[in-house]
Amino acid sequence: GSASRDRLRIAIQKSGRLAEPARSLLAACGLSWRESRDRLFCYGESLPVDLLLVRDDDIPGLIADGVCDLGIVGRNELDEQAAGRARIGLAPAYRELRGLGFGQCRLMLAVPEDWDWQGPRQLQGLRIATSYPAILAAWLERQGIQAQVVELSGSVEIAPRLGTADLICDLVSSGATLRANQLKPVETLLESEAVLAGPAQGFDDARAGLAQMLLRRMDGVLQLKD
Ligand code: PRT
Ligand code: ZN
């Protein structure tokens, strides 16, 4: 749980695909900040809403631990860590509040181009390289398939050529990376985009009103974008 606070703290990606669009969205909601020397913490000026600039992987945990109140993160990352928590018996600690309409991509299975894809049954006994082991394991379980999940933190797409896996499960947006590695997408496990995440339980202090106001403004901004 988190101690009572009268300022709202939002975690966003420091650098990377979601960093700029997340900041723009919050700025469009009327927030402005005074930047600190180390550029990790931005003090809210127009409203008592501060930013913490972090790696995207850290955002779900920061919300779970109550260090941050809200976060902007890919649904892929949020769901992976939620599935990971569930596997070790932890209660859900955060939830998705809004889809934000940027950072769209799909978590997909991709196989060597020359495979004749006939459906998930074909995966029985194979090795699948991924950075999303918990989502993949849960999907395989639902399909009733036993396959070996090979966890890799990066360069997943070269695993089939290296012989460390038979196929991969990775994020795809344009598909260019798959094509460059002679792979083709065959199955979608998750439709992802950037989301606003918050704690499973709401706030019981001044943060409740701040979060409500921010959500209302965000809904206005997102509607304008459609
Ligand atoms: O440093 P930090 O840990 O914060 O950043 P990161 O390197 O882990 O994340 P980053 O910035 O690469 O991605 C942040 C989020 O952007 C992801 O969690 C997704 O929610 C979202 N996103 C959207 C993507 C993509 N599109 C995407 N295409 N994340 C990764 N990719 C990869 C993809 O896996 C492929 O390898 O980009 C490559 C190019 O994709 P193609 O299909 O266009 O070739
Ligand atoms: Zn990351």
Side-chain angles (χ1 to χ4, degrees):
S2 56
S4 177
R5 279 204 295 266
D6 55 7
R7 301 183 66 85
L8 202 64
R9 202 178 283 163
I10 308 179
I12 65 170
Q13 200 185 18
K14 179 170 163 46
S15 58
R17 289 166 205 270
L18 307 182
E20 204 281 316
R23 268 184 101 112
S24 304
L25 171 62
L26 293 172
C29 293
L31 305 188
S32 66
W33 309 273
R34 191 166 68 218
E35 232 148 271
S36 68
R37 294 283 298 272
D38 60 8
R39 297 201 60 250
L40 295 179
F41 186 82
C42 305
Y43 185 83
E45 285 194 316
S46 52
L47 284 168
V49 180
D50 307 321
L51 295 188
L52 202 63
L53 309 184
V54 298
R55 292 203 53 188
D56 65 344
D57 319 58
D58 293 335
I59 294 175
L62 288 167
I63 299 171
D65 295 341
V67 175
C68 288
D69 304 310
L70 299 172
I72 294 180
V73 62
R75 181 178 293 134
N76 48 289
E77 195 61 50
L78 198 69
D79 286 9
E80 172 63 22
Q81 294 198 29
R85 289 177 64 91
R87 292 184 85 76
I88 57 171
L90 292 174
Y94 40 76
R95 66 199 170 97
E96 182 177 322
L97 301 174
R98 294 289 188 282
L100 301 178
F102 60 87
Q104 284 101 340
C105 56
R106 294 186 162 117
L107 184 64
M108 300 191 78
L109 293 181
V111 302
E113 268 166 0
D114 56 10
W115 280 27
D116 176 22
W117 179 249
Q118 314 202 322
R121 299 254 130 252
Q122 212 172 334
L123 300 173
Q124 186 68 32
L126 297 184
R127 298 162 305 158
I128 312 175
T130 190
S131 305
Y132 296 88
I135 293 177
L136 176 58
W139 183 84
L140 288 168
E141 214 169 279
R142 284 200 301 278
Q143 302 285 325
I145 289 157
Q146 267 146 11
Q148 192 187 327
V149 176
V150 179
E151 185 175 353
L152 296 179
S153 54
S155 303
V156 168
E157 63 282 350
I158 64 168
R161 269 189 298 154
L162 293 179
T164 50
D166 302 299
L167 67 150
I168 71 169
C169 169
D170 200 7
L171 296 179
V172 181
S173 48
S174 70
T177 302
L178 292 186
R179 280 194 296 281
N181 288 281
Q182 289 105 52
L183 299 169
K184 62 178 178 188
V186 292
E187 201 85 33
T188 300
L189 275 63
L190 178 72
E191 300 271 0
S192 188
E193 63 180 327
V195 303
L196 180 72
Q201 257 102 47
F203 308 107
D204 53 10
D205 52 28
R207 289 174 295 176
L210 285 170
Q212 211 172 26
M213 178 181 61
L214 183 66
L215 275 168
R216 213 165 42 231
R217 290 187 183 189
M218 212 172 261
D219 288 340
V221 171
L222 294 173
Q223 227 155 30
L224 287 176
K225 276 173 60 177
D226 290 339

